[in-house]
Amino acid sequence: MEILTQSIKDYLIERFDKSIDEIGYSDILEVESLTIDGKDENNEKQSVSFSDLKLFKNLKYLEIRNTLLTTNLFNTLEDLPYLENLLLRKCTIRKSVSTMNNLKNIIQLRINDCKNFNFELINELNLANLTFENMQIQGFNLLKDNHINVLDISRAKFKNMNGIKKLSIDKLVIKNKDYTKYKKVLDNLKYELIVMADIGYYIKVKLD
């Protein structure tokens, strides 16, 4: 068994207190959470091979940082039966990627500061939680066919709110500054609106 991704090797060595050559399949099957980072602590590039993920059959949570995301990656994620929680942080999605809609097991998805992301990539996914951070959103029309329990856009930026009333969601989380700016648009929604304080993490206003 050979693992090429440096951040995975570092994690396994620390977790199991073994050299990488001593780590076996039984150890790998214990792993339910992983972070893949394309840069080291000095912000230098380090090796990443998405094929390594095929070994982690019991993976439930995956965070990917500082990495180019390819169709090969998403094809690999489709074959992880227990993967439920996916966080993409400071990644670039290759323009040849046409969809993420085959990730049917994902129930929590967070997109943080990723390039080339668009709603068409996920417009058929039904999710318990969808969160956008450090992203600019240009309207919501392409999400109208999804069902999302909680859509958190409290740490995102907006070009406009087009389509916000057509969303099939249970709760929308938004920061107070944006609620004030788009109050007329956000009145009389068919779903619950949660307004977060601009500073801090606490709910400032809750509107039914």
Side-chain angles (χ1 to χ4, degrees), residues 153-168:
I153 53 175
S154 62
R155 286 160 284 185
K157 299 178 181 178
F158 310 98
K159 185 172 182 180
N160 60 65
M161 282 280 180
N162 294 343
I164 195 72
K165 289 191 173 183
K166 298 178 181 178
L167 295 179
S168 175

Side-chain angles (χ1 to χ4, degrees), residues 142-195:
L142 293 175
L143 277 181
K144 68 182 187 309
D145 295 327
N146 304 61
H147 181 76
I148 300 164
N149 293 354
V150 180
L151 175 60
D152 187 343
I153 53 175
S154 62
R155 286 160 284 185
K157 299 178 181 178
F158 310 98
K159 185 172 182 180
N160 60 65
M161 282 280 180
N162 294 343
I164 195 72
K165 289 191 173 183
K166 298 178 181 178
L167 295 179
S168 175
I169 61 177
D170 299 324
K171 296 180 182 179
L172 176 69
V173 184
I174 191 169
K175 60 179 172 286
N176 184 60
K177 181 172 67 174
D178 290 323
Y179 171 70
T180 302
K181 181 177 179 180
Y182 295 102
K183 188 175 187 303
K184 290 183 179 180
V185 178
L186 295 169
D187 280 343
N188 301 315
L189 294 173
K190 62 183 179 181
Y191 46 80
E192 185 177 358
L193 180 64
I194 299 174
V195 182

